[in-house]
Amino acid sequence: MAIPLSLLETFVIVARTGRMRDAAATLSLTPGAISQRVRELEELAGRRLFRRTPAGVTLSAAGQALLAALDEPLRRIEEVRCGLERRSGRRVRVSALASFTSSWLVPRLQRFAQLHPDIDIDLEADSRVVDLRREPVDIAIRHGLGDYPGLVAMKLVTPELIVVASRALLQGHAAIESPADCLAFPLLHDPDRADWRLWLEAHRVPIPAQLPGPSFSDDHLMVQAAVAGQGLALVRDIHAQEEVRAGRLVQAIASRWPARFAYYAVSTAEALQRPAVMRLRDWLAAEAAADSQKS
């Protein structure tokens, strides 16, 4: 009995992402449909391909063997499919970090659509590092030092860490006049729980052994927690700027600490030969320049 290609494609996407929910988003299906496809493939294969864990799924030995056989052929199919879609020159695929996508890129995309209604953007919000030479991605927006050998990198924005809070949280408390005053409030932390400690150390503030408070997997979630009044958030300014402009957050203290890293738009030289890709890249540069002039 022939195994449908859709089941094999679903298996590979789940294996790459490690989560049924992420695979569902990639394939525009429900998580239930993804689970059903995986079960059907496992029944046809006669063995378990994944082990379920609280964090997602991991491959069994049989799953690892199947992925090794399918991953490269499926990438070739994806490249052919993307190449057919691109022949009109209208489609540009972008991969960007979720926090950058939601806070900086998505709010601006309407402006690009108005300037270039003939260009379609396929936006993938993902933290994984895509292989621009092998995957059908035209521009990857990554946070780093700009060292991407063999690729063309253009700096977009250099974020700074700022302290933000809701007005409701700050009401009824003494004003925050120095970095040390932040310790009187609940603190919202990054996943490594390192940013607050480093920020306070940089401002020569004695730090207690424990800095309590919840941690969040990305700045966007932390910003939403700050909007809800759950604590002070130390976040990159570009991730909070829309909430600050709308008045849902305020900068609690003027002290800023420049971040070492920047966001870069990274492409292959071949991708930049396409006019649609260059138009998007030039627009990103213009938006970043406009932001720089505002700050």
Side-chain angles (χ1 to χ4, degrees):
M1 177 180 179
I3 297 178
L5 181 60
S6 60
L7 300 187
L8 299 177
E9 181 182 34
T10 300
F11 163 78
V12 172
I13 298 300
V14 173
R16 288 176 183 170
T17 62
R19 300 179 67 181
M20 299 281 187
R21 185 176 60 186
D22 292 348
T26 298
L27 294 172
S28 300
L29 296 170
T30 65
I34 296 294
S35 297
Q36 177 60 37
R37 286 187 177 186
V38 169
R39 284 194 298 270
E40 185 176 348
L41 180 61
E42 288 180 331
E43 290 173 1
L44 292 172
R47 61 192 67 190
R48 295 295 294 272
L49 301 174
F50 294 102
R51 299 187 185 92
R52 277 65 174 176
T53 71
V57 294
T58 60
L59 288 168
S60 66
Q64 292 174 358
L66 183 58
L67 179 63
L70 291 177
D71 193 41
E72 182 60 26
L74 185 59
R75 288 190 191 280
R76 292 178 181 175
I77 292 173
E78 290 170 343
E79 290 171 1
V80 171
R81 178 187 298 161
C82 190
L84 292 173
E85 292 174 345
R86 288 177 178 173
R87 284 183 180 176
S88 65
R90 298 179 62 248
R91 193 174 301 276
V92 180
R93 187 172 181 187
V94 180
S95 171
L97 296 168
S99 54
F100 182 89
T101 300
S102 60
S103 62
W104 194 90
L105 184 54
V106 168
R108 291 166 165 78
L109 279 180
Q110 181 62 29
R111 293 201 284 268
F112 180 81
Q114 291 171 347
L115 289 170
H116 303 286
D118 58 324
I119 298 176
D120 293 328
I121 304 298
D122 287 345
L123 182 57
E124 172 186 314
D126 201 335
S127 60
R128 71 185 183 91
V129 179
V130 297
D131 186 341
L132 289 170
R133 298 182 185 86
R134 300 181 61 191
E135 298 185 51
V137 173
D138 299 301
I139 297 176
I141 299 176
R142 290 294 175 256
H143 190 233
L145 295 173
D147 183 18
Y148 303 98
L151 299 172
V152 181
M154 179 186 69
K155 182 184 288 188
L156 295 176
V157 290
T158 303
E160 294 180 316
L161 291 175
I162 61 172
V163 179
V164 294
S166 68
R167 297 182 188 276
L169 179 72
L170 298 178
Q171 288 174 355
H173 290 80
I176 299 176
E177 297 179 347
S178 71
D181 295 337
C182 294
L183 294 174
F185 291 81
L187 302 181
L188 307 177
H189 294 272
D190 61 289
D192 298 327
R193 308 183 74 87
D195 284 352
W196 270 112
R197 189 170 295 277
L198 292 172
W199 187 83
L200 290 166
E201 286 177 355
H203 289 93
R204 302 178 184 273
V205 176
I207 305 171
Q210 299 293 327
L211 289 176
S215 64
F216 300 86
S217 62
D218 65 47
D219 279 2
H220 177 65
L221 296 176
M222 199 189 315
V223 165
Q224 296 310 306
V227 170
Q230 297 176 18
L232 298 181
L234 180 63
V235 296
R236 296 178 180 91
D237 53 2
I238 64 168
H239 296 161
Q241 62 187 7
E242 292 298 323
E243 303 294 344
V244 171
R245 288 171 183 165
R248 290 183 287 271
L249 290 176
V250 296
Q251 189 171 336
I253 184 172
S255 298
R256 301 170 75 98
W257 184 26
R260 183 185 176 200
F261 294 77
Y263 285 96
Y264 290 84
V266 186
S267 303
T268 63
E270 292 76 15
L272 294 176
Q273 297 299 311
R274 294 178 51 226
V277 177
M278 277 302 300
R279 289 193 185 100
L280 177 59
R281 186 174 182 268
D282 290 345
W283 174 81
L284 289 170
E287 288 288 318
D291 261 11
S292 178
Q293 292 173 2
K294 293 176 185 176
S295 59

